[in-house]
Amino acid sequence: MEINLDRAFGALSDPTRRAILARLAQGEATVGELAAPFRLSQPAVSKHLRVLEHAGLIDQGRDAQRRPRRLRPEAIKIVADWAEPFRILWERRFDNLERHLAAEKTEKS
Amino acid sequence: MLPTDTNSVAFTIDEVTHTIRFARDLDASPERVFDAWTQPDQLANWWDAMGDRLAICEMDLRPGGAFRFVSRHHPDKPFTGTYLEISPPARLVFDANGATGTVLLDEESAGTRMRVEIACSSADHLAQFVAMGVADGTGKTLNNLEKYLEANG
């Protein structure tokens, strides 16, 4: 399934869904296992899971009876890519700082 | 903790404490790096990611004092805030856009280990802060994100 960036951002904009993702980052879990720590009903969790699944952030594990949900590795990459321009901005800024310090050193010596 | 660069720990987003962390080794003393952060004529030289000198760089360098950095590319998006702590040459703390920025300078044999931490108040704030920072950048991801933000207000 392809990851739709807009849908992924939409899915990530909810704190409960981010918490569910954080839980799944530790390993696959069933709806029941996910519902317990969040004090949510199973239908409420299922609703969140559908949003996450629709966004391509999670899928279902192989065990057909337990139907555990698991994080898709691509999901991690989405979040990483999302922050990438921010990282680049600051890295450029620090590159400039290095150049500035080097130029200043040359001036003074 | 989500390291976005598996080869180094130069950039991390800690989603538990809503903190963005950068680290950089610099070939200069902590005193000189601190000056580069706290003297307007110096900071104006390097702050803009595009490499142009800032159009406006104002600092009232004292706890509670305000600062304002305005780039030539985005005069409508000034980087403004308030200084919280000024402890040369090791520590500079400021508030900007509701996030707390901390610059930590540790002397190392080769120069300075600079760590910059941006602590947001919540995961939502972290997401907003990253999105705002992105507004200065370029590329497809930026366009996607801007579209998303426009669509979702």
Side-chain angles (χ1 to χ4, degrees):
Chain A
M1 179 181 173
E2 203 174 315
I3 292 163
N4 176 308
L5 206 53
D6 285 350
R7 275 194 209 131
F9 283 132
L12 289 168
S13 69
D14 180 88
T16 304
R17 288 196 289 270
R18 281 199 300 270
I20 290 173
L21 284 179
R23 164 64 187 84
L24 291 176
Q26 294 164 14
E28 61 178 38
T30 62
V31 176
E33 286 163 351
L34 287 168
F38 297 115
R39 279 177 259 154
L40 288 174
S41 67
Q42 293 204 5
V45 168
S46 291
K47 205 174 153 190
H48 282 306
L49 290 174
R50 274 199 298 278
V51 176
L52 291 168
E53 209 162 329
H54 193 52
L57 295 170
I58 62 168
D59 61 9
Q60 289 190 16
R62 287 203 183 84
D63 186 337
Q65 286 204 309
R66 290 174 62 241
R67 302 179 67 213
R69 301 311 202 282
R70 59 185 184 189
L71 197 65
R72 297 181 73 211
E74 298 93 319
I76 298 296
K77 196 176 178 310
I78 277 203
V79 182
D81 285 351
W82 161 75
E84 186 64 5
F86 184 83
R87 183 186 71 79
I88 290 171
L89 172 83
W90 281 80
E91 294 291 347
R92 274 194 200 145
R93 188 168 276 161
F94 297 148
D95 289 345
N96 293 342
L97 173 60
E98 279 192 355
R99 273 196 292 274
H100 167 78
L101 291 167
E104 220 210 358
K105 194 177 183 178
T106 314
E107 251 171 54
K108 280 182 181 165
S109 61
Chain B
M1 184 79 75
L2 182 72
T4 58
D5 180 354
T6 47
N7 297 319
S8 74
V9 290
F11 173 67
T12 57
I13 294 179
D14 185 335
E15 292 177 320
V16 177
T17 59
H18 326 302
T19 301
I20 303 160
R21 292 191 179 87
F22 295 92
R24 180 70 72 107
D25 290 316
L26 298 166
D27 180 22
S29 65
E31 286 80 6
R32 287 189 54 226
V33 179
F34 193 87
D35 285 350
W37 274 92
T38 53
Q39 292 182 8
D41 61 324
Q42 287 203 45
L43 185 129
N45 238 349
W46 62 268
W47 185 261
D48 180 37
M50 306 295 282
D52 287 319
R53 202 176 158 77
L54 291 179
I56 298 169
C57 184
E58 293 169 346
M59 295 176 182
D60 180 11
L61 192 68
R62 55 183 171 165
F67 60 81
R68 187 163 71 109
F69 311 150
V70 184
S71 77
R72 292 179 199 281
H73 304 282
H74 293 290
D76 52 322
K77 288 175 191 154
F79 190 89
T80 59
T82 308
Y83 291 109
L84 299 178
E85 184 188 330
I86 299 135
S87 307
R91 211 170 130 88
L92 178 70
V93 186
F94 54 88
D95 184 276
N97 299 318
T100 303
T102 304
V103 182
L104 298 163
L105 305 172
D106 292 311
E107 187 162 15
E108 301 236 309
S109 56
T112 300
R113 175 83 170 164
M114 177 176 77
R115 283 174 294 152
V116 177
E117 297 184 356
I118 300 165
C120 297
S121 56
S122 67
D124 286 334
H125 184 216
L126 174 70
Q128 279 172 22
F129 198 87
V130 172
M132 272 195 296
V134 168
D136 273 348
T138 52
K140 205 174 170 221
T141 312
L142 164 67
N143 294 335
N144 287 333
L145 186 58
E146 281 189 339
K147 266 185 223 149
Y148 167 76
L149 292 171
E150 274 165 23
N152 293 273

